Amino acid sequence: MKKLLVAFAFLFSFLGQSQIVDVVKWKTKLNQKSNTEFELVMDAQIEFGWHLYAINTPDDGPQPLVFTFKNAGKDYELVGKTKQGAYQKEYNDIFEVDEYYFSNTAQFKQIIKVLNPALKEIKVTLEGQTCIDGKCVQEDDVLIFTLPTIKTEEKLAEKVVNEVTKINSNDDQKTDKKVDQVVIIKDEGKIEVVDLEKDTLKQQVEIVNTEKEKVVETVSEKSEEEINIWILFLSTLLAGILVTFTPCVFPMIPMTVSFFLKQSAKGDTKKGRFNALMYGFFIVLIYVLISLPFHIFQGISGDVFYEISTNPYMNVFFFIVFVIFAISFLGAFEITIPSSLANKVDNASNKGGLVGIFFMALTLIIVSFSCTGPALGLVIGGALSTDGGATLLTIAMLGFGLGLALPFMIFALFPSMMGGLPKSGGWLNTVKVVFGFIELALAFKFLSMADLVMDWHLLEREVFIVIWIAIFLGLAFYLFGKITLPHDSPLSHISVGRMLLGLLSLSFALYLIPGLWGAPLNIISGFPPPMSYSESPNGVGFKNEVIIANVKEEEKLPDDAHYGPHKIIAFHDYDKGLAYAKKVGKPILIDFTGKTCVNCRRMEELVWAKPEILSTLKNDIVLVSLYVDDRTELPEDKKYVTSNGKEINTFGQKWSDLGITKYKANIQPYYILMGHDEANLNTPVGYTPDVEEYKAWLQEGIANFKKK
């Protein structure tokens, strides 16, 4: 439904000549904290479906939001950093970085301290980027805050006297005690008028801090990410259900169910069902309790999970643990809880009532640890390596515990369904081995994280991909019966399910191979190291092209031009591109783009790269790519102020203003074919992923140019 609404929004936004997209509405509010300190509050109302990028968006990603406080340090000073509200985080497979953005609403706050009592207003300019489905709009606005009259020290002193007099002369006071002392709390900029006996009225008034001491505010900007709780819960729920189909757990289902059925057979049906539900509840409870110590750790150190996720040695530890678990799943050995502990817990389960049922659940968890332990370790390790904190871990454990408990509860409540269960056999070990291969593959993600942080270059992109290819080829050969492991039963034939799973694993391994030559591998985006962290950043076999000095004159790169995507000659300056187009007699393709524009990159990679499009771009037009997020400063004599008071100081601002004023468009990508008279040759277009449609659009504009 959301995508449908967004599609309609874009449909109507592109109808007609006008292409101005205004997706963020700004409101301001001024909170006075003392006579000279104010809190500037900037609220953004964002159109449905659009994302406004945060002020701490990582480098090489979308354009971050930047606030510029005019005359800061002269008429006033900034106290601390600009605070922002809770934002969302999502991995971008195009730029290979995390995106930090706001949806629907956003709020930003900045405390300032006035130095000039005559200051009447504060002007704040902002620049940023708002995107939807890869289409981006430059955000630039000017926010004005009107300040109240700053009270002088003399007036405040007079106010203090008046307040004290008022308190002392108030006939309505229920006590005859009078205020005879004023306590000045300078670090808060307050005067608190109090009675020495502490039983009369208190009054607070604001003052100017006469000692020009610098107020230092420690801003703890916590990244409150909106994590998709339901996806997390459902994925761990599925993991819990899957581990029930392992040799350690599956045979225990009929044994446990028969225990509750005996109670029902004695005529106590309600008690049997209640005990079955309590059995499942205690399984879930025990797993949730495992997560509680992490809440304590987080309380002691709020950054514990961040430290875990970024600590290379902790990630190496996780890698080692998961490799050991994976080898255990493959059958080399079993990881078990000491038998003495298991026996004690099992004996305790003989007690009656809820205590006995609790220990029955604990017995299941202990004796099945050799199968559930690796999966549980992956759940815990995965949660600890994120920024979700202890709450995220608890949700993960809740899902895992519930998934493990559900089969026991369902079959105890509905015993007739037991007849549909497959019989125990060699297939259980096959499931366990499959888990082992998958866990081994996932373990290398932790090693990769450590390698990236420490810049060891031990597990670069090609090495990571090769390891994954080997693991999933190994899994495919195992499923096809070409590899046997210690606990496998004799295999007389391959079942249909096993064959299909083997084909899936083989297909995935083959899919990974082009990644060695630079393929993006979108299915596993975020798992392998980025392209820049590889032996060949441009793909295996890539050779840098060398420009020879004595090339023909017509093959030389024109002055002020550069090579754009796919070696297309392009200009970054509108006027220089126009001049060159007139010189060579070709039409101009104005490309309003951005360094962090996702759909711009997709157009370049998926449309421009096509031979029929690339030939046209190289031979039949002059490409002028105008980056609206280019923060390069304009020369002083080229800076200007727009009619609405906006200061144009960078090339990006200049091109963004050009798009708005000349072409009534502020979206990216946005393509305009024009002649030497700067008139449009056809209707401009935005993101056009259909190659044939884009080709037809280019041909139409070029044909119209030739008619002139």
Side-chain angles (χ1 to χ4, degrees):
M1 186 63 182
K2 177 179 178 180
K3 290 185 177 180
L4 182 62
L5 291 174
V6 171
F8 273 109
F10 263 104
L11 175 63
F12 288 110
S13 69
F14 282 102
L15 290 176
Q17 182 96 15
S18 174
Q19 293 291 310
I20 293 295
V21 180
D22 186 12
V23 296
V24 181
K25 306 291 185 184
W26 290 91
K27 292 184 178 179
T28 60
K29 184 171 65 173
L30 187 72
N31 295 329
Q32 187 166 2
K33 300 178 72 68
S34 72
N35 188 52
T36 57
E37 283 194 348
F38 299 88
E39 182 181 57
L40 311 182
V41 182
M42 296 156 281
D43 289 303
Q45 188 68 38
I46 308 166
E47 287 291 329
F48 176 76
W50 289 82
H51 293 162
L52 172 66
Y53 291 101
I55 59 180
N56 60 331
T57 295
D59 294 339
D60 302 324
Q63 181 182 350
L65 184 62
V66 177
F67 291 100
T68 302
F69 298 85
K70 297 296 182 180
N71 295 324
K74 179 181 178 182
D75 292 329
Y76 61 94
E77 63 182 9
L78 303 181
V79 180
K81 298 179 181 178
T82 303
K83 297 180 182 180
Q84 60 184 352
Y87 53 80
Q88 297 170 266
K89 175 182 176 181
E90 184 175 336
Y91 184 78
N92 185 305
D93 57 358
I94 298 294
F95 298 109
E96 298 182 333
V97 297
D98 289 325
E99 294 181 342
Y100 301 155
Y101 61 87
F102 298 92
S103 300
N104 302 321
T105 61
Q107 186 177 78
F108 307 89
K109 296 179 179 180
Q110 175 66 57
I111 296 177
I112 61 103
K113 182 179 180 182
V114 176
L115 303 176
N116 178 10
L119 185 63
K120 300 298 182 183
E121 68 176 23
I122 292 177
K123 181 184 294 186
V124 181
T125 61
L126 63 91
E127 290 182 73
Q129 195 173 61
T130 312
C131 298
I132 183 171
D133 292 340
K135 298 180 177 67
C136 298
V137 172
Q138 289 302 112
E139 288 297 328
D140 41 57
D141 211 334
V142 179
L143 308 179
I144 305 296
F145 294 85
T146 303
L147 299 177
T149 302
I150 305 298
K151 300 179 180 67
T152 63
E153 183 179 352
E154 292 78 8
K155 289 184 177 180
L156 281 169
E158 180 181 352
K159 179 177 179 180
V160 171
V161 174
N162 291 338
E163 292 292 341
V164 173
T165 303
K166 180 180 177 181
I167 294 173
N168 287 339
S169 62
N170 191 345
D171 295 334
D172 294 334
Q173 292 190 88
K174 298 180 179 180
T175 175
D176 58 356
K177 294 187 179 295
K178 303 299 181 182
V179 175
D180 56 9
Q181 182 174 344
V182 174
V183 179
I184 302 177
I185 309 175
K186 291 184 178 179
D187 60 339
E188 295 181 3
K190 302 278 187 179
I191 289 180
E192 186 175 16
V193 183
V194 298
D195 187 301
L196 284 177
E197 299 296 326
K198 299 182 181 179
D199 59 358
T200 61
L201 179 68
K202 292 183 179 180
Q203 178 75 23
Q204 290 188 339
V205 294
E206 298 173 341
I207 65 165
V208 172
N209 191 341
T210 54
E211 300 178 9
K212 294 191 176 180
E213 53 192 33
K214 185 175 181 180
V215 178
V216 180
E217 179 181 351
T218 303
V219 180
S220 177
E221 186 177 300
K222 184 180 179 182
S223 171
E224 300 181 29
E225 303 169 5
E226 183 179 313
I227 300 169
N228 196 324
I229 302 299
W230 282 110
I231 292 180
L232 170 68
F233 176 76
L234 292 175
S235 60
T236 52
L237 176 71
L238 178 62
I241 293 174
L242 289 176
V243 296
T244 62
F245 295 96
T246 55
C248 318
V249 182
F250 189 80
M252 297 186 67
I253 295 178
M255 295 172 54
T256 306
V257 169
S258 65
F259 171 80
F260 295 113
L261 290 180
K262 289 179 181 178
Q263 293 180 329
S264 299
K266 295 178 182 179
D268 200 349
T269 305
K270 290 184 178 179
K271 182 179 179 181
R273 291 180 177 177
F274 174 78
N275 288 344
L277 290 174
M278 292 307 300
Y279 178 77
F281 169 76
F282 284 133
I283 291 175
V284 177
L285 177 63
I286 291 169
Y287 279 110
V288 170
L289 290 175
I290 294 174
S291 70
L292 293 186
F294 295 96
H295 287 268
I296 299 174
F297 298 152
Q298 183 169 296
I300 296 173
S301 174
D303 295 332
V304 63
F305 289 92
Y306 175 78
E307 293 170 1
I308 290 175
S309 65
T310 57
N311 188 300
Y313 304 106
M314 186 63 70
N315 279 292
V316 169
F317 170 75
F318 284 143
F319 165 73
I320 294 172
V321 169
F322 293 141
V323 168
I324 293 173
F325 278 150
I327 294 174
S328 172
F329 261 15
L330 295 176
F333 52 83
E334 286 194 3
I335 302 173
T336 59
I337 298 292
S339 58
S340 58
L341 175 61
N343 292 333
K344 288 181 181 179
V345 174
D346 186 44
N347 292 333
S349 67
N350 295 324
K351 298 179 181 180
L354 294 179
V355 174
I357 296 174
F358 173 83
F359 282 103
M360 279 184 63
L362 186 57
T363 301
L364 168 71
I365 292 172
I366 291 175
V367 299
S368 65
F369 181 77
S370 61
C371 291
T372 61
L376 181 62
L378 192 60
V379 170
I380 295 176
L384 292 180
S385 63
T386 68
D387 296 330
T391 302
L392 175 61
L393 177 60
T394 297
I395 292 171
M397 298 298 282
L398 174 65
F400 185 82
L402 184 59
L404 181 63
L406 273 177
F408 292 92
M409 293 190 293
I410 291 174
F411 290 119
L413 293 174
F414 306 100
S416 60
M417 296 174 63
M418 288 285 294
L421 279 178
K423 294 182 180 180
S424 299
W427 66 272
L428 288 172
N429 188 67
T430 300
V431 172
K432 187 177 179 181
V433 170
V434 170
F435 285 165
F437 275 103
I438 294 175
E439 185 141 11
L440 184 61
L442 296 178
F444 280 92
K445 174 60 178 174
F446 292 98
L447 183 59
S448 173
M449 292 168 66
D451 189 55
L452 284 167
V453 171
M454 297 301 293
D455 202 28
W456 291 328
H457 286 271
L458 299 175
L459 196 63
E460 293 176 325
R461 184 179 176 88
E462 294 90 345
V463 178
F464 183 97
I465 293 173
V466 164
I467 291 173
W468 269 42
I469 291 172
I471 290 173
F472 285 98
L473 281 177
L475 174 57
F477 292 150
Y478 171 78
L479 291 170
F480 290 146
K482 302 302 180 182
I483 297 175
T484 57
L485 293 173
H487 299 296
D488 287 332
S489 301
L491 189 64
S492 59
H493 68 281
I494 298 176
S495 66
V496 173
R498 183 165 179 158
M499 181 192 68
L500 293 176
L501 190 59
L503 289 174
L504 179 64
S505 181
L506 177 61
S507 300
F508 183 65
L510 295 177
Y511 165 80
L512 296 176
I513 293 175
L516 299 174
W517 282 266
L521 303 179
N522 293 332
I523 291 178
I524 59 169
S525 178
F527 271 88
M531 187 72 70
S532 59
Y533 195 78
S534 64
E535 296 178 1
S536 298
N538 295 291
V540 175
F542 175 83
K543 294 181 179 180
N544 288 321
E545 296 184 12
V546 179
I547 300 176
I548 303 175
N550 61 350
V551 293
K552 295 180 180 179
E553 182 66 26
E554 61 267 21
E555 294 177 349
K556 289 182 179 179
L557 193 64
D559 293 339
D560 303 311
H562 69 284
Y563 284 117
H566 316 296
K567 291 292 181 179
I568 302 170
I569 294 176
F571 291 83
H572 280 172
D573 185 274
Y574 179 91
D575 294 325
K576 293 175 181 177
L578 176 60
Y580 180 75
K582 291 179 179 179
K583 177 182 177 181
V584 297
K586 295 179 181 179
I588 304 102
L589 173 61
I590 302 296
D591 166 30
F592 282 102
T593 184
K595 297 178 181 178
T596 58
C597 170
V598 174
N599 274 3
C600 302
R601 302 294 87 77
R602 286 176 176 162
M603 284 292 294
E604 294 163 3
E605 294 171 6
L606 304 178
V607 179
W608 287 14
K610 299 298 181 183
E612 60 270 36
I613 304 295
L614 188 57
S615 175
T616 299
L617 297 178
K618 283 189 172 183
N619 302 314
D620 301 329
I621 58 95
V622 173
L623 177 63
V624 179
S625 295
L626 305 179
Y627 287 82
V628 298
D629 53 2
D630 184 355
R631 302 187 65 80
T632 304
E633 285 281 328
L634 286 166
E636 287 299 323
D637 60 340
K638 299 296 183 182
K639 296 180 180 179
Y640 63 96
V641 179
T642 64
S643 58
N644 62 355
K646 180 190 173 184
E647 297 180 3
I648 304 299
N649 298 315
T650 66
F651 280 96
Q653 291 174 334
K654 178 181 178 179
W655 305 139
S656 179
D657 182 57
L658 175 68
I660 293 172
T661 56
K662 184 176 177 64
Y663 299 104
K664 309 301 179 186
N666 64 342
I667 61 171
Q668 299 88 48
Y670 194 62
Y671 305 108
I672 301 162
L673 274 170
M674 72 177 195
H676 299 162
D677 57 357
E678 302 184 61
N680 293 353
L681 296 172
N682 55 2
T683 303
V685 297
Y687 178 58
T688 312
D690 187 288
V691 175
E692 290 302 319
E693 182 182 351
Y694 194 74
K695 177 183 176 182
W697 177 79
L698 285 173
Q699 292 175 340
E700 177 191 22
I702 294 171
N704 291 336
F705 174 78
K706 292 179 179 179
K707 292 177 183 177
K708 290 190 175 184

